[in-house]
Amino acid sequence: MAMNKLVGAAVRRPGWADLPRDLLESVLGRLPVPDRLRFPGVCTAWQSADAASATARFRAAQPPWLMLPLIPTARWLSRRGGGGGDGRFLEARFLSLSDGRAYAIPQPAPPVSERLCVGSSDGWLVTADAASELHLLNPLTGAQVQLPSVTTLPFVDASRDADGRVASYDLRCCFGDGDNDGDEVLVPPESFAPDRLRYELYEKAILVAPPRRQTTPPGSWGGYAVLLICQPLYRLAIARAGDTKWTLLDMPSRCWVDAVRAASAPAADGHQAVYTLDSVGRVEAWDMDVTAAGTTPPPPREIAPPCCCSGRACSMSIPCSKYLVELSPGHLLQVHRLRDKAHARSKWEPRQERVEYTTVKAELFEWNAAGGGHGEWARVDGAGAGILAGRALFLGKSASLCVPADCCPEVKGNCVYFTDDGPWSHERCHEVVPDVGVLDLADGSYKVPRGAVRDLLWKWPPPVWVFPSCTN
């Protein structure tokens, strides 16, 4: 009997657990996100390989996920320890475009039901909590980084109660007066509850550089930089690893609406190029040092002049949002999103703060550079094998991104994938159906992404595209 056991052990064939570690890590980098999440559950050897390669990036292009609104009647409401059954959600739900399924993923405190997402890039979300404070959050790994306090912005003041908790915020506005030698005209501050300031203050956050795990001190994060478009007057502010406050970058007269990190790799000295887009379609380039905490970047240089919309878009009769996308290094594209009231043909219409809007059209403008520093914006047609043939755009509060349509079967070329990006208010985010859909530039159709129809009947938190990353 003992001899039979010895013989059986000697002829045991290698199994999945015996695959070489370097091969497992190579496979890990090529798996889609759902399979990557299941990988460590196969066996202890695979769990060990997953932990060892936690800092490895995906080698294959990952299709974006859609962060879904929460379902108030969900069974997984506050089911984990610390929830207390008080109506707070401890798991976020994401729709995978590759398989059309929704995945619930546990999240760290504060509860996801108290977060408003104002930015998304490189697998990280920029979220504002119930006190309007900003955090970087990787929803797949649970990693989190606290950003400088909102009170370090020079136009935000906090009033605190006897226990030191924020009772309210005051948001101060100032406008330059050209008739008084640059003097500022002050407007009486407006007061907001701690959880309401975030709707009025934050427009969009862009990740200039993603966080990197540091060895000293253990568990710390470094190397990151966040560019914030904020009110009043759509100003720019930046915070980097090591910063204790936000640094303003521009004069109040500029109204910025979008920004993208240049596709070119950052310089060895930590400098990263960033393109910013203002409300009239002008583009400027910034040279930002992501390692120099507390410093102000040099003034930007103009890349492209203002871009004129169509007559309808430029009129006040229809809302128009502008986005900037870099199709390839230096190849810029502006997208003007036109929206109309969903109840425009109805005799009855809700109050203004509860009006539903839907995307009706998108206008594309390509930057054609010319010699001598001159160039022009040219309107391009999305029909047929146009500029987006074989590619798709993902736009909203997330980083404005162009991805190859073959990154997954469900991503269709010559389409623009939109999420709602405001203007937001507490009422709109909780009571108005978000404007989320896929605009086919070939036929002008606008449809809800497959698998999201029922989920988008709910409102909070507003959906956002997430570009998943298991980088830890």
Side-chain angles (χ1 to χ4, degrees), residues 53 75 210 319:
S53 64
R75 290 178 299 174

Side-chain angles (χ1 to χ4, degrees), residues 197-258:
L197 178 69
R198 52 187 173 175
Y199 302 104
E200 306 294 332
L201 181 63
Y202 303 127
E203 293 296 332
K204 187 171 185 176
I206 299 92
L207 205 56
V208 178
R212 298 193 302 270
R213 178 75 75 176
Q214 305 295 295
T215 55
T216 55
S220 63
W221 295 90
Y224 61 86
V226 178
L227 185 66
L228 181 66
I229 302 176
C230 60
Q231 297 292 355
L233 302 177
Y234 297 87
R235 302 185 66 174
L236 289 179
I238 190 171
R240 288 155 288 205
D243 281 344
T244 58
K245 65 178 183 179
W246 291 93
T247 301
L248 291 181
L249 302 186
D250 64 335
M251 299 299 292
S253 59
R254 298 299 297 272
C255 293
W256 304 101
V257 295
D258 200 8

